[in-house]
Every structure is written in C-alpha cells, then in structure tokens.
Amino acid sequence: MFRHSQLESVKAWIVRPAHAAMPLHARIQRAIRQLIVDGALGPGKPLPASRALARSLEVSRDTVEAAYAQLHAEGFINRRVGSGSFVAEMTEFASNRHLSQRDTLLRNQAPNLGKRGGAMFRSGGVREMLSPRPFAHGIPETRSFPLQLWERLERQVRKEVGAQTLLHGDPQGTAPLRRAIADYVNLERGARATADRILVLTSSQQALWLCANMLLDPGDRIFVEDPAYYGAGKAFDAAGLECVPVQVDRQGIVVDRIITEPRRAKAVFLTPSHQFPTGVTLTLDRRMALIEWAMRHQAWIIEDDYDSEFHYAGKPTACVQGLDPYDRTIYIGTFTKSLFPGLRIGYVVLPPQLVKPMTVARTLLDGHSAPMAQLTLARFMEGGHFGAHVRTMRGVYAQRLGVLADLLGKHLSDFLEPGIPAGGLQMPCVLTCDIPERTAIDAARRVGIELMGLSALHAAGDGKAGFLMGFAAYTPLEIEVAVKKLGNAFRTLAKL
Amino acid sequence: MFRHSQLESVKAWIVRPAHAAMPLHARIQRAIRQLIVDGALGPGKPLPASRALARSLEVSRDTVEAAYAQLHAEGFINRRVGSGSFVAEMTEFASNRHLSQRDTLLRNQAPNLGKRGGAMFRSGGVREMLSPRPFAHGIPETRSFPLQLWERLERQVRKEVGAQTLLHGDPQGTAPLRRAIADYVNLERGARATADRILVLTSSQQALWLCANMLLDPGDRIFVEDPAYYGAGKAFDAAGLECVPVQVDRQGIVVDRIITEPRRAKAVFLTPSHQFPTGVTLTLDRRMALIEWAMRHQAWIIEDDYDSEFHYAGKPTACVQGLDPYDRTIYIGTFTKSLFPGLRIGYVVLPPQLVKPMTVARTLLDGHSAPMAQLTLARFMEGGHFGAHVRTMRGVYAQRLGVLADLLGKHLSDFLEPGIPAGGLQMPCVLTCDIPERTAIDAARRVGIELMGLSALHAAGDGKAGFLMGFAAYTPLEIEVAVKKLGNAFRTLAKL
C-alpha cells in the first residue's frame, strides 16, 4: 500500500552507509517516520501489511513488526487488529517537501524578536573575513604559523594530561595558562597581573560583552574614543549603554574632555597602545590623568590592548593597567592577532574584586573555554615559542608595512595619504581626491579588495574620508598586485 | 645607587630563561621598570650611573644606555645632564610588594557592579565539577573516550585543510559540521533540520543565553518546568525575564496549565525527552497541544534535548521540533554529555527566520567557535564514530544505572526511594526518612560524595526532599564504594 516512490525512499534510507550501524528494524521505523513527518504519508493513510512490506524489503516479518511497534509506541501510527496500521489522525504534520523554498521565504520574514534582540540584529554584528583578502584589516599572517610545533605540544599535553583534558575546565581558565599570561603581560606590557587576576575568555569581544553587562546598566554612560572600534560600540549598544564619544588627537584620547565633561560616565573604553583606527599611542601623562579621574569617580577603565605585540618603532608604552595603583582598570588581551583567530582565546586582567563576579558571569554566558587549547597555548608560551613567534612576525609585518607605504606612494599618491602607524596590523589612509569614500570602497570591492571606511567609525560623522588597510596577512607580492588593481580602479573612477 | 637587593632583582630578571630571547638592553629596561612600578624605586630616586650599572651587571655601557633611553622615552625616568637619571616624579605608582595580601582583601570587597551584574553574581552561576566525583550529575564517562581516534581525525583535518583552520570561522558554524548535525538530529531525533538552520555554539548554556536575550525583553514572561534545570533559570533571570513555573507530572509538563494560564508568556522552556530532574518524557499529545498553543500565541518553544542520546528503555520520542510545522520551536543540543564537556560544542536548530538574527547576536557575544574542533567533530560524525560511541556508552550507562539501582536497594532502602529513569545520566531519589535534605547533602559531602538537592529545583518550594545522583561517569566499583559510604553516613545521621 506504499506508492512505489515511498517504497524506494524507505529502501534508500535503509542502505545509506551512515545508517549501517543501526538495527534494521530501527532503520525501517525511522524511514517510515520520516515519510509521516514529511507529510508524504498523511493522517489516516494505511501502512502496508507487515508481511507485504517484509517481502518488498526482503527482510523478516519480525523486523517490520518491531518497526511498527515502535511507531505505535511513539504515537505515529494506530494499529487495529484485523485491519492493519494507519497513520495516527492527531499527527498534523506539515509537508516539508518544499522545505528549502519555504525556508528561503521564511528566512527573510520578520523574526519576531524582543526589542533588545531586534537592536542586536540591526547592529549587523561583528563580521570577520573568513578568508583573508587584501586589505581586510585585523587579520594576522597564518600561513607561516608553526603548526607542526603546535601539534607536537598538543600531543605532549594529551600524553601527560590525558582524558583530563576532556572534562569541564576551570571557568576562570586553566592555571598554567593564567600563569603564562600573567608572566607575559607583566614582562612585555608592564602590567601588574597575577594568575589569580586573569580570566581566560574566548575573545576580546566576549570581554567587552562581559564588561558592558556586568559593570554598567542600561542607560548608563560610557566614554568611548572617537573614532572608535566598531565591535566595542556594538557590544555597548547591545547592553543598552549610552556611548559618549571623546575626541582622539595625536596624543590619544583627549583626557581633559573626560575630566571636564559635565555628563558623568561610569566607565571609559580605550585602545591606548595603538588607537583603533588612528594608530596613535596615548601619552604617559594622559594615562596617569585618566587613572586619577577613574579613582576619583570610582569609574572603570576598559583598556583594549588588541594588537600591542606588534610595535615597530621603539617599544610600546607600559599598559594603563600596570600604571593604575587603584585597581580601576580592566585590561583586555587576545591571541587572535598575535597567534591565530581560530584559536578563540582572549583574556582579561581584572581588579581583584571583579574576579569572582566576572567568572560567575562567564559560567552563565557559556561555561568555560576548552581546556585542550588552553593547555597547548600555555606550553607554547612557557617554551618561549610565543615570544619567538611574535618577534618573527613583528619583522614580517614591519616589512609589509614598508612595502605597502612605498607602493601607495608610487601608485596611489594622487588619491590618498597614508598615516603610517607605529604598530599594529593596519594603516589608516585619508582620501585626498574627490572620490567619495563609499564610491572608493565599492570600486575596490568590485576588484576583490576589501577596505574599511573610516567615516563610519566617527561618532559625529565629521571624520575625514578614508579607509583602513590591513597589511599583515598579505605577502609583498599580494600587496603589490592589490595596490596596482586599486590604482587602476581609482583612476577609472577619477576619469568618470 | 641600587640597594643590593635591587641589583639582585635586576640580575635575576635578566637571567630568567623565559627572558633569554629578549635583547639584553630590553631585559635591563624591563627589570628596572618593574622596580619602579612596584614602588621599590620611588619617585625622584636616582638610578645608578650607566657606567656603574654596566660594571655591576657585567655588560657594556651602551647596553645600559639603551635601557635608560627607553625608560626615558616611556616617561619612567628623567635624565639631567651632569647629574644622572631619576625616577620621574609624576609616576605615582603604588607599591605592590604586598600585592597578594592586598588582593586577598580586595577580592572580598564590594565589586561595584551594575544592577544586572550584581544579580548575575548573586545567582552563583553554573558551576560544574572539575573532576568527577560520585554522584555529581550530568557528567559522562570520559576515561574510555577514543582519544587516539580523535587525534587521528585531527591530524587528517590539519593535513587536508591546513592553515585554513587557523582563520576566523563562519559564525554560523563550519558547513561540514552543520550538515553532520542536521543528518544526526533528523535521523535520531526525528527533527526537521537542514544545515542552513543549524547554528553551532559553544554550549547549551550559550543557546539559552541567546534565546533569553534575543527573543524576550526584561519583564517578559516565560513558562518553565517546575522543577526545572537551574542553568536555564539562571540565564532567564540574568536576562530579566519573569519565569512562570508550570507543574510537571508523570506525562511531563502540564500543557493544560499553559493553555489556561491567564498570564500570557512569550515562550516556554522545556526538557521534553528526559525532563530535568524528574526524568519523565513528555507525551506525544502534549507535544502536539503545546505546538498548537505556540502557533496560536506566536510564542516560542525552547526545547532543551540535553541528554536524549541515552535512552535505555525503547526509543526516545521524536523531538518537538520535528513535530512542529509552524517553526515556533528552537531545538537545543549539546555534545557535552554525548562526547565530552571539554569539547565546548553545542548547537541550536532554528526556525528559518531566526537564523540570521541569532548568528548576528553570536558575533556580538563572542564571534564564533574554533574551526578545528568543529571540523574534527564533523569527521567523527561522518565516519559513523559518533553513532558507535553513543551506542557503546548507552550500554555502559544502562549497566551502571542498574548497578546503582541495585545497590541503593541493598544499602539505602531505609532512607530513600530511587526514581529509575528511562534515560539520561542521572537518577532522582526521594528521601523517605526523617533526615532533612540539606543535612543529607552535607553529610555526603563530608565523605567526598556530591548530591544535588531536588528541593531547590522546585519553584514553589513544595518539592519532595531528595537528590539527583549521577551515575554515568563512575564504574560499578566506584558506585559500590560510594553507595556504602553514603549508607554509613546516613546510618550515623539516623542514630543522632
């Protein structure tokens, strides 16, 4: 009583290799259940007699009986002695024969979110490039990463720690990694950290999310740099905070504006070692003044030190956290740029009184980070490989920065002026021609080149037109090809 | 002009193996910076003449000069021609010589959180046992996990995909894993999933967090089972939702109560295949009635199928998501219990219209999940290893459940009555003696046994006293030893 196509669909299900390990009766039961759920067998429709189906499928009648018994137990079919089995009336399953068409339609329908959910959706989120393409910013070179060494350390960890790596991890982060991070930030960034004060997270984005939601309430004000890192702004908006933009000049965020601002704020967010996107470094005086302000107002300083490892001219200044004797600073670090984005390890150095609350909050968000990656990273750091890798990449990136600056001078000097940064993975460029920023970005995208516009990063919309050019993930040759393409694209635009 | 101890501290810093790769002048500069930041060298204090320090450290004078130049550039010291170098006056660094004592004090101070941050902290978070100890619940056996096979698949992935695994991953999850999950939930759970509708997350906790914050607003009501899974309740509280408890009977959540409840709610949260903590299965009629309710009110059904892989008596009923033709159901799954907690992979099957918004929200929370673990898991599933592992563990757990039930009957029948579940990794037991639940749990903890009390899981505080006993992660011998210990502990209590 099955149509031929239905019988074929059951047969096809049964022989699929992925289902091979399942008992035969279970495979038959699932196949029929799928027909019912898909609406191919409607309510009240009769099923074949078990003997007949057994013959068609070349299986024993007991096997089919077992399948029917389970369908019955689940409520999908009714069985009447003497008249056979029928799809249960109550099961009003929708047809999903055209599911993907329907899905496509539905995907674009209003999703019926909450107000805050809607706001988060409209923010567009924080999208990263999946495969690097010039001049997408903020991406490190990963093709030369010492993957074999990493795998060797992984094997060592597994050998020594074994199944322990499979269990739940400490939500604050594994102790060896917290120790290694504390040593690193103390040594390299002049921080005042102890392993006790480190909280391991998946990313700096998670750190921003935690700060925004734990330290502030909806409607609270936070000072942010203008221009600012978009990921922070989105996290703060999603948390319902009011962002108060504060101008950035050549010495970094203008701390005097914060001190004299009549509207009080509970926190300030900044990227002092290499301001995003301008690349300027906050001076020591301003750091000290900011710390005094935070102490006086019991405000928080959220310091995002996202790519401080890569400083090409001299040494980076000590981080604000290390200069702050009052424990008002939360230092955010990440391995996304210093190692690789797929690692998913970031961290915060917390004031002592925030360690417990932030760790508790992390367990509510998503529990903890995978112990295996943490232990491997700890070993990578302890063995001196992290330091060595950063030094190597610093040389590589300094060269690439030079190459990009030279090529821009040669091929694009009619159109833009590069702002050569002292560090980081990207260079801000200001448009010096009549081509509007949006037009330039669209033209670049048409020839496979990614540029991040600078205007949108300015709160007041008064920023100079231009864009951020990532250079770290691209070889000199790739940079050259892309710069020439961009030159052609811009020249074509200029002629129009 | 350094005290002996200061000179020693600089020397010790220089020769630390972790610092070996750093140029000598940088090591000297960091060592001195640390003395300044630590307050060991106060403002205005003179530094040794570069020649004298060079002699003491047995390095060239140029090396010391380079260190001093960097300290000067950073603003840590002033240099006056003819009179030498001095710690800068403006650097009001606090002493942190007694940092750890101070930290200890501070850790227990009021942390100055926001209101919602304070509420999250007070919830206590969702703590998991770091090393399994009888009878901690919800933990799978990991000692027999096929770790070598897993490593082999990891190597295969690295060989084939290479440095690509190091890049940012698709925030929705890698396509091979989404396909494998869709196949699995369709086949084993009767779901109606496609790879397009899967969102890979780090955990079911993250799924709960996303649902609570994206679908509902503070003050919105959500129906929850009574008793209920504590992790869900905490996520909902943190999101500011009002939880409306709905009684659970032997057929699962009482859907009639939801239908007749005068207070409207925007969503319902439930664990239908194996209710937490009672272990009952929601009947098919109630599933269908709930789906109709959700459709009528445009409400969301949040279905947490946390340990449905382990069903010992018959087959699990098809999940609500698979029965819902109206796309009102969000199905939450996790590999924490079916594979291992340290994996950090969970997922949701979403209605089509929620795919984009939820993916965007995930990028704001923490970006995406590590591609490497996802690709390895995809291969583990495609190769049939996941199905095989689950079948093996189902047999192991069924045996352990039997052992625990027998031993409780033998040693603890005067004290409690086990509620033998049809599935899952834990068994609820009701106290049948006069020992109060809290007393029993404390006595157990004193002999190294973990019990989760049932009373606290009931909203109205009217639940029977008892506890949840996890059995999956403990061998029959471990179970026997622990049951005997528990018997002794309870007998001692009864005599008091």
Side-chain angles (χ1 to χ4, degrees), chain A residues 242-358:
Chain A
E242 184 193 335
C243 290
V244 180
V246 178
Q247 191 202 333
V248 170
D249 66 18
R250 282 165 187 276
Q251 300 189 294
I253 190 168
V254 181
V255 175
D256 271 351
R257 291 274 176 99
I258 290 174
I259 294 168
T260 57
E261 167 68 48
R263 291 173 293 175
R264 284 217 33 204
K266 282 197 178 168
V268 57
F269 168 77
L270 71 167
T271 49
S273 73
H274 178 228
Q275 204 273 333
F276 187 98
T278 63
V280 301
T281 302
L282 188 66
T283 58
L284 187 59
D285 311 30
R286 287 196 183 174
R287 287 173 195 233
M288 302 312 286
L290 192 66
I291 290 166
E292 293 301 317
W293 166 83
M295 186 271 294
R296 262 199 321 280
H297 295 278
Q298 290 294 292
W300 298 108
I301 300 171
I302 303 170
E303 176 180 30
D304 187 352
D305 211 29
Y306 65 106
D307 68 1
S308 60
E309 291 83 3
F310 303 109
H311 212 82
Y312 311 119
K315 299 281 166 185
T317 310
C319 65
V320 175
Q321 195 273 349
L323 302 171
D324 170 13
Y326 312 115
D327 289 319
R328 304 309 308 168
T329 306
I330 295 128
Y331 175 96
I332 301 177
T334 176
F335 294 96
T336 291
K337 299 183 203 309
S338 54
L339 289 176
F340 54 93
L343 180 58
R344 311 315 296 148
I345 300 186
Y347 57 92
V348 278
V349 184
L350 293 167
Q353 67 274 27
L354 289 184
V355 172
K356 280 188 209 164
M358 289 292 209

Side-chain angles (χ1 to χ4, degrees), chain B residues 108-191:
Chain B
N108 298 312
Q109 274 187 12
N112 187 15
L113 304 170
K115 281 187 210 79
R116 66 180 158 194
M120 282 167 71
F121 183 26
R122 284 189 300 276
S123 80
V126 184
R127 284 278 174 168
E128 307 285 355
M129 293 294 282
L130 297 192
S131 43
R133 151 164 101 208
F135 292 101
H137 72 281
I139 306 174
E141 176 62 87
T142 50
R143 289 168 291 187
S144 56
F145 184 79
L147 203 46
Q148 288 191 317
L149 168 63
W150 186 268
E151 286 181 70
R152 184 157 53 78
L153 297 177
E154 262 181 3
R155 282 196 298 275
Q156 276 178 21
V157 169
R158 283 234 174 83
K159 205 168 160 190
E160 288 167 34
V161 190
Q164 194 74 23
T165 60
L166 304 179
L167 295 172
H168 280 294
D170 182 343
Q172 200 185 334
T174 63
L177 180 59
R178 288 192 280 114
R179 281 196 296 271
I181 290 173
D183 281 354
Y184 166 74
V185 293
N186 291 342
L187 181 66
E188 293 289 341
R189 305 297 303 117

Side-chain angles (χ1 to χ4, degrees), chain A residues 398-408 475-477 479-480 483:
Chain A
Q399 188 213 359
R400 293 182 180 184
L401 170 58
V403 167
L404 177 60
D406 285 353
L407 286 165
L408 290 180
T475 63
L477 184 62
I479 292 173
E480 186 176 348
V483 166

